[in-house]
Amino acid sequence: MFSLATAVMAFILLLSPLRSSDFVIDPLNALVATVMGLTLYRRLQVSTSHVVLRAAAFIWLSVLVVTLVLEWLPVHRAELRDVFSLKESAEVFLWLLAPIGLFIVSRFERVPALVKLLLICGFLVQTVVVGLEFIEESPHLGVSPDGAETFSDFAQFVFLQFYLIAFALLLLYAGWSPISRHAESDVHSGPLGNRARHIFDAYRLFTKGRFPKQRVAHWPGVLPIIDFGRIVLWTGTLGMEVQRNFGVPIFRQIIDILLLMMHCGLDAQAYYMLELYRRDRQRKAGQYLTRYETKNGLLTALNYLIPKNGHRSNLSDKAAFDRVCVEHGLEVPRILAVAQHGEIAWRNLRRLTEVPGLFVKPAVSKGARGTEIYTVVRNTTGTGSAQYMSPDGTLLSELELSTRIAGQSMEEMLLVQERLENAPSVAPFAQASLVVIRVITCLDAQGRPTVTHGMLRVLSKLEAGWPSAAEYGAPVDLATGELGWLSSDKREDAFDFFDHHPVTGARVAGALLPEWAAVKALALRAHDVFNDRFVIGWDIAVTPEGPVLIEGNAYPDFAFLQRVHRQPAGESPIGPLLQSGLDRLVAVRGG
């Protein structure tokens, strides 16, 4: 609102024939003084036991009142300026107050770095303006007085914008919101999500831009643009439905999102997908983790607290992962062939004639990127070799299949695995794809893995005939293996939770996984092997022969996990374990 007000004033200044006067700049100075005064008043309400700080705050507030009078009461301006014997007293007062303001603001424990940067930039530009006030008529500059005054007014407008935006953000951050009492945290304490983000920022833990995946998103200044773009996109798409079904006006939704961005680092997507328009959920906002801090460096920092035992396991290298699993007796899909640089090497052609299909995937990847499913079509007469149905519906001979996979391996190394079949307990939830159970395990303080979450996963992108490319997930009760309501990761399904599968029609909520105990046991055995990772998300298939380990993810997606369970990570079983890990991280980093 403050920034909008100054923008309107600037527009009036450009159009007005009186723009050479101070009739716009002076009210802007008054507006800045007002905002500073409100911020300082808020700080005094919070109170501080530091005597010097409190005295400086009172002095600053007193001088701000004088500055406000100088700029906003033109009737008495001349007399007051005579008293203070300064030609441009208000501007000089603001400049003298700036260092005091920066000092006091720097004592706030949770001031965003952006606010501090804006205040410093504003002070530097303001110093230039004050200097010009004293030398703008000097003949040695070689600049006309009108030109110097024009430049001074422009620079003054710039630093006022810096101050207005910074203090407006600071006022929001200081606690004028219904969730402020839940957002209090620092590196030592606080709700899990807020504390994790404070630690991520304070210790500069950013290592790699895994989320968002686009490299440009991590350029300076781009992420705020993306966040505000999400407000437009998500509110424009879902705002009316939230207003209609939950009674939250669109304007209030936008305010909520802005406050969540300031207090908790949650964006518009999180607001709608995590149901934060519900007041009971919003009060827990500080407990939610986001992909940004977990994928971009926080989990990496937690991993480095654990001894490597000579090397750091690479869960993304599927070939190496398969080799380690086989060495330790973990059940994994058998690799039938490896293709690289245009050549394919079959390991077991006899097995090829027995499997129901083939699953081809990149040797180094995450998730379902680049995967393909080939179905074996056997000759019913018993004569001739089997053929293979490709994802696009083409029938291939064994030679054609080998040629095709070999050609694809020119770009990256591929693994050809046997295609697993779903057990009867999970088969109704898919048609062509393999249903997996995502199991989250986390190390406790003694280094022992613990199962904290279970989630049934169905990837629509592997189902050619399905209308959506959504990922579906349903929570698994840790004690009983009972499934909860199914939900999707797509915006169009943001308000939908299904008791029956939306495509197959199978009942999900209330269904039992009889293999759940064996699935948990396999996840714990796997984490015992890959015990140099703090948190791992395991994808485990449930086959007629029992659970089979598909892959491990060192950077699991907490956003979708929290949506599926309708519970923030901080209030889930992983919450205390992550808090303990953050305690150790703070201790190692020097507190």
Side-chain angles (χ1 to χ4, degrees):
M1 291 173 60
F2 290 131
S3 184
L4 178 63
T6 58
V8 171
M9 290 182 181
F11 184 70
I12 295 173
L13 177 65
L14 292 174
L15 297 181
S16 171
L18 303 175
R19 58 181 177 269
S20 60
S21 71
D22 292 334
F23 86 105
V24 170
I25 294 297
D26 289 350
L28 285 179
N29 275 330
L31 188 58
V32 171
T34 303
V35 178
M36 287 182 175
L38 289 171
T39 305
L40 189 58
Y41 176 71
R42 174 69 183 179
R43 180 57 174 157
L44 290 173
Q45 278 187 317
V46 174
S47 78
T48 176
S49 58
H50 198 295
V51 177
V52 176
L53 275 178
R54 195 165 182 81
F58 274 116
I59 295 172
W60 189 29
L61 184 59
S62 301
V63 181
L64 280 174
V65 172
V66 176
T67 303
L68 180 61
V69 171
L70 287 170
E71 295 288 23
W72 234 336
L73 297 180
V75 175
H76 305 288
R77 184 181 300 168
E79 292 82 356
L80 288 170
R81 283 183 174 173
D82 289 342
V83 170
F84 286 95
S85 301
L86 288 171
K87 177 185 176 183
E88 299 290 347
S89 54
E91 287 83 351
V92 175
F93 270 130
L94 282 176
W95 179 66
L96 293 175
L97 288 170
I100 302 176
L102 289 173
F103 170 70
I104 293 178
V105 168
S106 68
R107 298 306 297 246
F108 280 85
E109 294 180 357
R110 289 171 294 276
V111 173
L114 177 61
V115 171
K116 294 181 181 180
L117 178 63
L118 288 170
L119 289 173
I120 292 172
C121 291
F123 176 67
L124 294 177
V125 179
Q126 185 184 14
T127 302
V128 175
V129 171
V130 172
L132 287 174
E133 293 290 346
F134 291 99
I135 64 172
E136 63 182 9
E137 298 181 1
S138 173
H140 303 291
L141 290 178
V143 180
S144 66
D146 289 341
E149 184 177 1
T150 300
F151 179 79
S152 175
D153 287 346
F154 174 75
Q156 192 170 2
F157 176 77
V158 171
F159 87 72
L160 288 170
Q161 285 287 319
F162 277 125
Y163 283 162
L164 286 172
I165 296 173
F167 278 92
L169 292 175
L170 186 59
L171 286 173
L172 289 174
Y173 194 84
W176 287 0
S177 86
I179 62 172
S180 61
R181 62 184 179 277
H182 304 282
E184 297 299 319
S185 65
D186 53 29
V187 298
H188 298 284
S189 63
L192 175 65
N194 280 352
R195 186 187 180 202
R197 286 180 283 279
H198 277 299
I199 290 173
F200 181 81
D201 292 333
Y203 298 144
R204 296 183 174 90
L205 299 182
F206 185 95
T207 55
K208 185 177 181 180
R210 296 183 178 92
F211 181 84
K213 295 180 180 178
Q214 298 79 10
R215 182 176 300 179
V216 66
H218 301 280
W219 293 359
V222 174
L223 274 178
I225 297 174
I226 293 175
D227 288 339
F228 282 100
R230 286 192 180 123
I231 294 178
V232 175
L233 175 62
W234 285 79
T235 305
T237 305
L238 305 177
M240 288 301 297
E241 193 164 351
V242 170
Q243 178 173 300
R244 182 168 56 252
N245 295 335
F246 301 95
V248 183
I250 291 180
F251 178 74
R252 176 67 197 193
Q253 294 174 42
I254 295 174
I255 296 299
D256 284 347
I257 294 170
L258 291 173
L259 293 174
L260 286 170
M261 289 169 63
M262 290 298 302
H263 285 277
C264 304
L266 301 176
D267 60 12
Q269 182 174 346
Y271 180 76
Y272 291 104
M273 295 302 287
L274 299 178
E275 304 175 90
L276 297 180
Y277 43 81
R278 299 175 183 267
R279 289 293 173 251
D280 60 326
R281 302 285 175 85
Q282 195 174 110
R283 285 192 290 270
K284 302 174 182 179
Q287 297 281 14
Y288 286 93
L289 291 171
T290 74
R291 295 184 182 101
Y292 188 80
E293 71 272 358
T294 55
K295 288 182 175 289
N296 292 338
L298 181 66
L299 293 182
T300 300
L302 291 172
N303 286 335
Y304 277 104
L305 297 176
I306 306 170
K308 294 189 299 183
N309 297 324
H311 71 285
R312 182 70 65 191
S313 58
N314 185 358
L315 297 177
S316 297
D317 188 334
K318 306 305 180 186
F321 176 79
D322 178 83
R323 185 168 55 252
V324 173
C325 289
V326 171
E327 290 174 357
H328 289 83
L330 299 173
E331 296 81 2
V332 292
R334 281 181 282 268
I335 295 179
L336 304 179
V338 177
Q340 188 175 20
H341 305 311
E343 296 183 359
I344 185 168
W346 291 97
R347 294 184 177 180
N348 193 336
L349 282 173
R350 180 178 300 178
R351 183 67 182 172
L352 181 62
T353 63
E354 301 172 357
V355 298
L358 306 175
F359 190 74
V360 181
K361 64 180 181 181
V364 179
S365 67
K366 295 178 181 178
R369 181 192 67 82
T371 59
E372 289 185 322
I373 299 174
Y374 292 86
T375 304
V376 175
V377 182
R378 291 182 173 83
N379 193 319
T380 58
T381 64
T383 60
S385 60
Q387 292 182 300
Y388 304 88
M389 179 74 73
S390 69
D392 58 9
T394 304
L395 278 176
L396 304 173
S397 66
E398 184 179 308
L399 178 59
E400 291 170 331
L401 174 69
S402 298
T403 302
R404 177 169 177 164
I405 297 175
Q408 293 172 337
S409 71
M410 293 296 295
E411 298 181 359
E412 58 183 338
M413 181 180 175
L414 299 175
L415 301 181
V416 182
Q417 295 178 329
E418 62 174 321
R419 177 190 171 192
L420 302 177
E421 294 184 305
N422 292 311
S425 59
V426 297
F429 306 134
Q431 292 172 341
S433 64
L434 185 68
V435 175
V436 298
I437 310 299
R438 167 60 62 90
V439 182
I440 303 295
T441 57
C442 182
L443 298 183
D444 62 16
Q446 288 72 43
R448 297 171 302 196
T450 301
V451 173
T452 65
H453 292 82
M455 180 179 74
L456 179 131
R457 297 181 70 203
V458 182
L459 299 180
S460 297
K461 66 177 68 176
L462 300 179
E463 298 279 0
W466 287 16
S468 170
E471 174 182 348
Y472 292 104
V476 181
D477 185 274
L478 293 182
T480 66
E482 180 179 343
L483 298 179
W485 292 69
L486 191 74
S487 58
S488 158
D489 66 342
K490 294 301 181 184
R491 184 170 62 249
E492 56 267 23
D493 299 325
F495 306 113
D496 297 325
F497 290 85
F498 309 97
D499 58 349
H500 285 71
H501 195 291
V503 180
T504 69
R507 182 173 68 92
V508 180
L512 289 174
L513 291 177
E515 303 87 355
W516 174 238
V519 169
K520 287 194 298 183
L522 178 56
L524 293 174
R525 285 170 53 206
H527 205 154
D528 277 332
V529 173
F530 297 92
N531 57 9
D532 59 341
R533 299 283 181 169
F534 189 73
V535 178
I536 303 179
W538 304 102
D539 283 342
I540 299 176
V542 181
T543 74
E545 291 75 30
V548 177
L549 184 61
I550 303 300
E551 66 178 2
N553 192 327
Y555 307 98
D557 181 4
F558 277 95
F560 189 49
L561 190 75
Q562 292 169 126
R563 169 172 168 78
V564 168
H565 286 78
R566 305 182 84 172
Q567 181 186 48
E571 294 188 350
S572 74
I574 204 173
L577 301 177
L578 287 175
Q579 288 281 25
S580 176
L582 295 179
D583 290 340
R584 282 179 280 161
L585 182 59
V586 171
V588 169
R589 295 278 176 160

